[in-house]
Amino acid sequence: MLAQLFSFGNIGLHSEKITVEVGLCCGEGKMHIVGLGDTAVQESRKRVKMAIRTSGYKAATGQDITVNLAPADIRKVGPRYDLPIALGLLIANKSISVSEDLLKESAFIGELALDGSLRHISGVISCAIACKAHGIKRLIVPSMNAAEASLIPGIEVIGIDNLIEIISIVTGEKEAEPTLPPKNDFDKKASDGYVDFCDVRGQEHAKRALEIAAAGGHNVLLSGAPGTGKTLLARAFQGILPPLSYEESIEVTQLYSVANILPKDTPLITERPFRTVHHTASGVSIVGGGQVPGPGEISLAHRGVLFLDELAEFPTQVLEVLRQPIEDRKITITRAQGTVTFPADFILVAAMNPPKYSAGSAMRITRKISAPLLDRIDMTISVDSVDIEDLQKAPNENSETSEIVHTRVINARSMQRKRFSDLPIQTNKEMSVKHIDTLCILDEECQALLKSAVQRMNLSARGYHRTIKVARTIADISESKNIKSTHVAEALQYRQNIDL
């Protein structure tokens, strides 16, 4: 007898429908798994047989078992096929009887322990999305993955604890209880648990620049001597970012699920990621990759912040891999098995100490941080030493709280959503040259100011357009419909080159 069930396998951020076919024939009781499975897939032979026995059933005896994972040209990775293989084997040897209609309307995913219980697997939300796209009504997953899968509407998600439970459900002995979507904490204030702007003494110029960066999604470089508050400002930056929309939360959750780092008690990520990368990190850990391509830090920072402290200490080859993702807001990884693409729409916040005034140190930094990379940073902020008068001020004295700044950022983002309502972009930083020409009309005074700046500061074409994007964000914060010369002048202040 032949049994056929459906499952899903992850390829990058997406899932492919996998047909699990189990057939029996006369033989020596051997089990063969075909269909381009990795080591974990091949090892499921032992797990499945033992789980069936400990659950009170018998695997096929005196018969060869052939398991085919189709399509055969797609690499199958991980133990997620244990559950459909076990059910298929029980159906094929007539240990249980299951309706064909139920099998056609269901997909099964799960790793089996030797005692028949199910373990957590990665990438379940991607499977749920693919399940809905293929018109499959029901998705059966381990109970610890059920809340995550239930975030996708339009499919019935059933969480199970062990093999005995799923057998009782598919045979009709027990009625399945669909998992309800979890309640989401979108009402939590962005400043909760973060460093408040009013606790950062002085640095009003830097705070203003970070507000602009948060409002328009612009990249920032903080340059200043040790102890001036660069890292503290970066931490406070989290508290003024706008909240994630539900769609953005699903995107971020999907990435963390595929990377298998989604917290067990957090089926949906509702806060913008803030990824801090140490300067000893490798290029692969930052952009992603590996034998089975997975998301790197730039993708895990998607819709959030990538913080590179001590920028000048990073190896040159590591920094150079950031150039293309910063521009395209995605990363494509090519391996022998195929090509996968992960989103990488992040705000880059970098911090560094200015070079000591010697030709050797300046040359070393120049070699490490290339001009093309610096050109992709929208705003360069000089973080100066704090005056003693500012350090001794009481909290909230002459300094705005993060909540006040956060409100202005949200208002500016609201203006951008209205401006881009008919376009596939959300923030000013995403504007192309065509968008700038049609949406950022400059008067003669603004054009003259930019022309003078290009000649005086030797701005590149990229720098020219990025200055206009920043000016547009400054205008949004000021609730101005048009870009004024004062907005352009302020934007040009942040295009200053680092004094190497």
Side-chain angles (χ1 to χ4, degrees), residues 174-186:
K174 178 182 177 181
E175 187 175 351
E177 297 182 5
T179 302
L180 299 177
K183 294 182 179 180
N184 304 314
D185 189 15
F186 280 98

PDB file of all heavy atoms in Angstrom, residues 174-186:
ATOM      1  N   LYS A 174     -10.449  11.575  18.368  1.00  0.00           N
ATOM      2  CA  LYS A 174     -10.395  12.802  19.152  1.00  0.00           C
ATOM      3  C   LYS A 174     -10.627  13.994  18.245  1.00  0.00           C
ATOM      4  O   LYS A 174     -10.154  14.021  17.098  1.00  0.00           O
ATOM      5  CB  LYS A 174      -9.033  12.925  19.843  1.00  0.00           C
ATOM      6  CG  LYS A 174      -8.844  14.198  20.647  1.00  0.00           C
ATOM      7  CD  LYS A 174      -7.434  14.244  21.241  1.00  0.00           C
ATOM      8  CE  LYS A 174      -7.198  15.545  21.989  1.00  0.00           C
ATOM      9  NZ  LYS A 174      -5.823  15.607  22.562  1.00  0.00           N
ATOM     10  N   GLU A 175     -11.381  14.955  18.753  1.00  0.00           N
ATOM     11  CA  GLU A 175     -11.641  16.165  17.968  1.00  0.00           C
ATOM     12  C   GLU A 175     -10.499  17.162  18.145  1.00  0.00           C
ATOM     13  O   GLU A 175     -10.067  17.442  19.267  1.00  0.00           O
ATOM     14  CB  GLU A 175     -12.963  16.799  18.406  1.00  0.00           C
ATOM     15  CG  GLU A 175     -13.385  17.971  17.529  1.00  0.00           C
ATOM     16  CD  GLU A 175     -14.757  18.516  17.892  1.00  0.00           C
ATOM     17  OE1 GLU A 175     -15.452  17.876  18.704  1.00  0.00           O
ATOM     18  OE2 GLU A 175     -15.112  19.589  17.384  1.00  0.00           O
ATOM     19  N   ALA A 176     -10.014  17.669  17.033  1.00  0.00           N
ATOM     20  CA  ALA A 176      -8.902  18.616  17.080  1.00  0.00           C
ATOM     21  C   ALA A 176      -9.361  19.976  17.589  1.00  0.00           C
ATOM     22  O   ALA A 176     -10.467  20.434  17.279  1.00  0.00           O
ATOM     23  CB  ALA A 176      -8.291  18.762  15.695  1.00  0.00           C
ATOM     24  N   GLU A 177      -8.502  20.622  18.366  1.00  0.00           N
ATOM     25  CA  GLU A 177      -8.779  21.960  18.872  1.00  0.00           C
ATOM     26  C   GLU A 177      -7.832  22.950  18.209  1.00  0.00           C
ATOM     27  O   GLU A 177      -6.636  22.981  18.519  1.00  0.00           O
ATOM     28  CB  GLU A 177      -8.601  22.004  20.388  1.00  0.00           C
ATOM     29  CG  GLU A 177      -9.572  21.116  21.147  1.00  0.00           C
ATOM     30  CD  GLU A 177      -9.392  21.224  22.644  1.00  0.00           C
ATOM     31  OE1 GLU A 177      -8.558  22.069  23.080  1.00  0.00           O
ATOM     32  OE2 GLU A 177     -10.065  20.488  23.382  1.00  0.00           O
ATOM     33  N   PRO A 178      -8.347  23.754  17.270  1.00  0.00           N
ATOM     34  CA  PRO A 178      -7.474  24.716  16.578  1.00  0.00           C
ATOM     35  C   PRO A 178      -6.863  25.724  17.549  1.00  0.00           C
ATOM     36  O   PRO A 178      -7.479  26.102  18.549  1.00  0.00           O
ATOM     37  CB  PRO A 178      -8.429  25.403  15.588  1.00  0.00           C
ATOM     38  CG  PRO A 178      -9.585  24.461  15.446  1.00  0.00           C
ATOM     39  CD  PRO A 178      -9.734  23.783  16.767  1.00  0.00           C
ATOM     40  N   THR A 179      -5.659  26.132  17.254  1.00  0.00           N
ATOM     41  CA  THR A 179      -4.947  27.120  18.071  1.00  0.00           C
ATOM     42  C   THR A 179      -5.369  28.524  17.662  1.00  0.00           C
ATOM     43  O   THR A 179      -5.381  28.866  16.479  1.00  0.00           O
ATOM     44  CB  THR A 179      -3.427  26.971  17.898  1.00  0.00           C
ATOM     45  OG1 THR A 179      -3.042  25.644  18.255  1.00  0.00           O
ATOM     46  CG2 THR A 179      -2.683  27.965  18.771  1.00  0.00           C
ATOM     47  N   LEU A 180      -5.736  29.339  18.645  1.00  0.00           N
ATOM     48  CA  LEU A 180      -6.129  30.716  18.382  1.00  0.00           C
ATOM     49  C   LEU A 180      -4.901  31.623  18.343  1.00  0.00           C
ATOM     50  O   LEU A 180      -3.927  31.385  19.063  1.00  0.00           O
ATOM     51  CB  LEU A 180      -7.100  31.210  19.457  1.00  0.00           C
ATOM     52  CG  LEU A 180      -8.422  30.443  19.573  1.00  0.00           C
ATOM     53  CD1 LEU A 180      -9.249  30.987  20.734  1.00  0.00           C
ATOM     54  CD2 LEU A 180      -9.213  30.524  18.268  1.00  0.00           C
ATOM     55  N   PRO A 181      -4.929  32.669  17.510  1.00  0.00           N
ATOM     56  CA  PRO A 181      -3.782  33.585  17.441  1.00  0.00           C
ATOM     57  C   PRO A 181      -3.534  34.244  18.790  1.00  0.00           C
ATOM     58  O   PRO A 181      -4.485  34.574  19.512  1.00  0.00           O
ATOM     59  CB  PRO A 181      -4.201  34.620  16.380  1.00  0.00           C
ATOM     60  CG  PRO A 181      -5.272  33.940  15.597  1.00  0.00           C
ATOM     61  CD  PRO A 181      -5.988  33.037  16.553  1.00  0.00           C
ATOM     62  N   PRO A 182      -2.280  34.440  19.168  1.00  0.00           N
ATOM     63  CA  PRO A 182      -1.981  35.083  20.461  1.00  0.00           C
ATOM     64  C   PRO A 182      -2.310  36.566  20.428  1.00  0.00           C
ATOM     65  O   PRO A 182      -2.361  37.194  19.371  1.00  0.00           O
ATOM     66  CB  PRO A 182      -0.477  34.850  20.627  1.00  0.00           C
ATOM     67  CG  PRO A 182       0.033  34.750  19.216  1.00  0.00           C
ATOM     68  CD  PRO A 182      -1.068  34.079  18.425  1.00  0.00           C
ATOM     69  N   LYS A 183      -2.537  37.116  21.618  1.00  0.00           N
ATOM     70  CA  LYS A 183      -2.753  38.552  21.720  1.00  0.00           C
ATOM     71  C   LYS A 183      -1.411  39.255  21.562  1.00  0.00           C
ATOM     72  O   LYS A 183      -0.405  38.827  22.105  1.00  0.00           O
ATOM     73  CB  LYS A 183      -3.381  38.906  23.070  1.00  0.00           C
ATOM     74  CG  LYS A 183      -4.791  38.348  23.243  1.00  0.00           C
ATOM     75  CD  LYS A 183      -5.379  38.767  24.587  1.00  0.00           C
ATOM     76  CE  LYS A 183      -6.794  38.223  24.741  1.00  0.00           C
ATOM     77  NZ  LYS A 183      -7.395  38.606  26.053  1.00  0.00           N
ATOM     78  N   ASN A 184      -1.430  40.361  20.826  1.00  0.00           N
ATOM     79  CA  ASN A 184      -0.189  41.065  20.503  1.00  0.00           C
ATOM     80  C   ASN A 184      -0.081  42.359  21.297  1.00  0.00           C
ATOM     81  O   ASN A 184      -1.048  43.111  21.425  1.00  0.00           O
ATOM     82  CB  ASN A 184      -0.134  41.370  18.997  1.00  0.00           C
ATOM     83  CG  ASN A 184      -0.282  40.108  18.174  1.00  0.00           C
ATOM     84  OD1 ASN A 184       0.338  39.105  18.459  1.00  0.00           O
ATOM     85  ND2 ASN A 184      -1.127  40.155  17.153  1.00  0.00           N
ATOM     86  N   ASP A 185       1.118  42.627  21.794  1.00  0.00           N
ATOM     87  CA  ASP A 185       1.359  43.803  22.635  1.00  0.00           C
ATOM     88  C   ASP A 185       1.881  44.958  21.786  1.00  0.00           C
ATOM     89  O   ASP A 185       3.026  45.379  21.906  1.00  0.00           O
ATOM     90  CB  ASP A 185       2.366  43.453  23.738  1.00  0.00           C
ATOM     91  CG  ASP A 185       2.501  44.564  24.773  1.00  0.00           C
ATOM     92  OD1 ASP A 185       1.634  45.449  24.786  1.00  0.00           O
ATOM     93  OD2 ASP A 185       3.462  44.539  25.560  1.00  0.00           O
ATOM     94  N   PHE A 186       0.985  45.491  20.917  1.00  0.00           N
ATOM     95  CA  PHE A 186       1.394  46.616  20.079  1.00  0.00           C
ATOM     96  C   PHE A 186       1.205  47.957  20.793  1.00  0.00           C
ATOM     97  O   PHE A 186       1.601  48.989  20.286  1.00  0.00           O
ATOM     98  CB  PHE A 186       0.585  46.634  18.778  1.00  0.00           C
ATOM     99  CG  PHE A 186       1.085  45.661  17.756  1.00  0.00           C
ATOM    100  CD1 PHE A 186       0.481  44.422  17.599  1.00  0.00           C
ATOM    101  CD2 PHE A 186       2.166  45.962  16.952  1.00  0.00           C
ATOM    102  CE1 PHE A 186       0.947  43.516  16.668  1.00  0.00           C
ATOM    103  CE2 PHE A 186       2.640  45.065  16.012  1.00  0.00           C
ATOM    104  CZ  PHE A 186       2.020  43.837  15.868  1.00  0.00           C
TER     105      PHE A 186
END
